[in-house]
Amino acid sequence: MSKVPSQTRLELPSPDKSLGQHFLRDQNIIQQICHDFKDQAEAIVEIGPGPGILTEHLALMGLPYFVIEKDTRFGVYLDQFLNKDQITLDDALQVELSTFFKEKNISGKKIWLVSNLPYNIATPLLVNFLQATDIKYMTLMFQKEVADKVFPFATTKNFMGSLLVLCQSFFECNLLVKVPPGAFAPPPKVDSAVITFVRREIPLVPMAEFRTLEKFLRQMFSQRRKQIGGVLKSYYKPEIIKESFDSLGLSTTLRSEVLTLEHVLELYRKLRS
Ligand code: SAH
């Protein structure tokens, strides 16, 4: 079980910018993140805990709890709250999550993934999380640029793209809270947002088709501002494109960025078949 946090605070090491280190200091936001799925989760995994700002709270919930942190300097900080077997000091991108969950005996439990995501690897990590089906809930902090691609919290138009379709196909997403730069030390240059994810019991696209869908989305959104009929011509026969668009009452002169989620998924089903 987790340790009781010690009262003596270690001083924080200097932040490593290359690892996207911005430490949360706003207690209100920390509380909101840590309360998000505490009543539903059966196990918690945190990616990039750093010195343990969220860990300190999450460790007290009495659930199986494991962290993966790349920066080995944080080992001694995490030791304050966790036992050795709960701490993995490794690059999360190199950890095969399903195997990790099995090793930690939490496979089959409703896993809640929590992360203040390192900016530069937020997208590839998220794509891995989507595919790890033991993860049922996620509470993820993103910088605005990535957050906008996952959930259009700031933009109201032209937000459609690959990441949004991938996320929404497998999870229901909502904005938990917008986070200003001052909530972190050191403050990043841009706003951030915490987005909360609940895995759909029945995904909009079968998980076995994840790679196929990803490939289709790359084609569809490779040139978001061009007429979509023209873009898709490199991949599909013109008559199949016309037939698919006609059946949905859509024009091939539209740009992919203005399509709805339903349209994108319908086009995927029609063009792929
Ligand atoms: N959770 C803390 C720290 C967030 S900063 C907080 O909210 O305050 C992002 C964290 O991700 C840092 O601790 C950084 O070292 C870690 N990190 C960066 N790249 C990583 C990777 N590839 N794998 C695991 N952790 C990584």
Side-chain angles (χ1 to χ4, degrees):
M1 269 294 104
S2 306
K3 296 178 186 172
V4 175
S6 83
Q7 293 305 310
T8 46
R9 299 269 160 174
L10 296 165
E11 222 169 276
L12 288 184
S14 55
D16 182 338
K17 281 201 180 142
S18 73
L19 292 176
Q21 292 178 354
H22 297 280
F23 304 118
L24 262 171
R25 61 186 193 120
D26 182 315
Q27 285 304 325
N28 181 27
I29 290 173
I30 292 169
Q31 289 303 331
Q32 286 193 61
I33 293 174
C34 293
H35 276 78
D36 201 15
F37 292 110
K38 76 179 194 4
D39 296 329
Q40 292 95 328
E42 294 171 352
I44 309 174
V45 173
E46 188 187 351
I47 307 289
I53 292 157
L54 299 170
T55 312
E56 176 176 0
H57 302 276
L58 297 170
L60 295 177
M61 291 182 185
L63 294 170
Y65 177 41
F66 300 93
V67 301
I68 305 174
E69 167 59 58
K70 185 170 178 181
D71 190 339
T72 52
R73 293 181 304 168
F74 291 126
V76 286
Y77 295 80
L78 298 166
D79 278 345
Q80 294 179 288
F81 313 111
L82 302 170
N83 297 317
K84 285 272 179 255
D85 74 309
Q86 294 176 284
I87 306 169
T88 300
L89 293 174
D90 203 347
D91 178 349
L93 277 176
Q94 303 302 323
V95 175
E96 209 285 302
L97 290 172
S98 304
T99 313
F100 180 79
F101 299 155
K102 281 199 192 92
E103 280 167 12
K104 300 296 181 189
N105 273 325
I106 55 171
S107 180
K109 290 193 190 294
K110 290 181 182 160
I111 296 175
W112 174 23
L113 194 120
V114 182
S115 188
N116 171 4
L117 284 165
Y119 173 67
N120 49 347
I121 55 163
T123 304
L125 271 178
L126 176 58
V127 169
N128 286 352
F129 300 160
L130 296 177
Q131 293 173 85
T133 50
D134 284 318
I135 300 174
K136 302 295 185 212
Y137 309 104
M138 301 197 280
T139 305
L140 304 177
M141 170 89 75
F142 298 98
Q143 287 195 2
K144 184 180 174 313
E145 201 180 307
V146 183
D148 269 339
K149 291 185 188 162
V150 174
F151 186 85
F153 78 96
T155 9
T156 49
K157 55 178 188 167
N158 298 355
F159 56 78
M160 185 47 66
S162 299
L163 202 55
L164 187 138
V165 177
L166 280 180
C167 290
Q168 309 263 340
S169 296
F170 301 99
F171 284 84
E172 284 186 56
C173 310
N174 273 300
L175 175 66
L176 184 69
V177 59
K178 290 187 197 180
V179 187
F184 301 92
K189 291 203 173 66
V190 295
D191 284 336
S192 298
V194 181
I195 299 182
T196 172
F197 295 68
V198 178
R199 189 176 288 279
R200 293 179 188 277
E201 271 182 40
I202 303 172
L204 303 182
V205 173
M207 183 52 80
E209 291 179 24
F210 194 93
R211 295 265 166 242
T212 323
L213 175 64
E214 226 186 352
K215 189 172 155 208
F216 172 79
L217 295 172
R218 260 200 300 274
Q219 298 167 348
M220 183 88 158
F221 293 106
S222 57
Q223 301 167 75
R224 294 155 44 95
R225 286 163 207 280
K226 284 203 177 164
Q227 294 190 0
I228 191 155
V231 175
L232 291 176
K233 224 167 46 194
S234 325
Y235 310 103
Y236 304 94
K237 293 199 181 99
E239 59 273 21
I240 298 186
I241 297 175
K242 184 166 183 330
E243 201 183 295
S244 304
F245 276 73
D246 282 353
S247 70
L248 295 172
L250 290 173
S251 158
T252 53
T253 62
L254 287 173
R255 296 160 179 190
S256 57
E257 62 184 4
V258 305
L259 295 173
T260 64
L261 175 67
E262 289 70 26
H263 285 153
V264 176
L265 292 179
E266 273 307 313
L267 288 170
Y268 163 72
R269 292 184 189 110
K270 287 182 190 295
L271 287 169
R272 164 199 70 126
S273 56

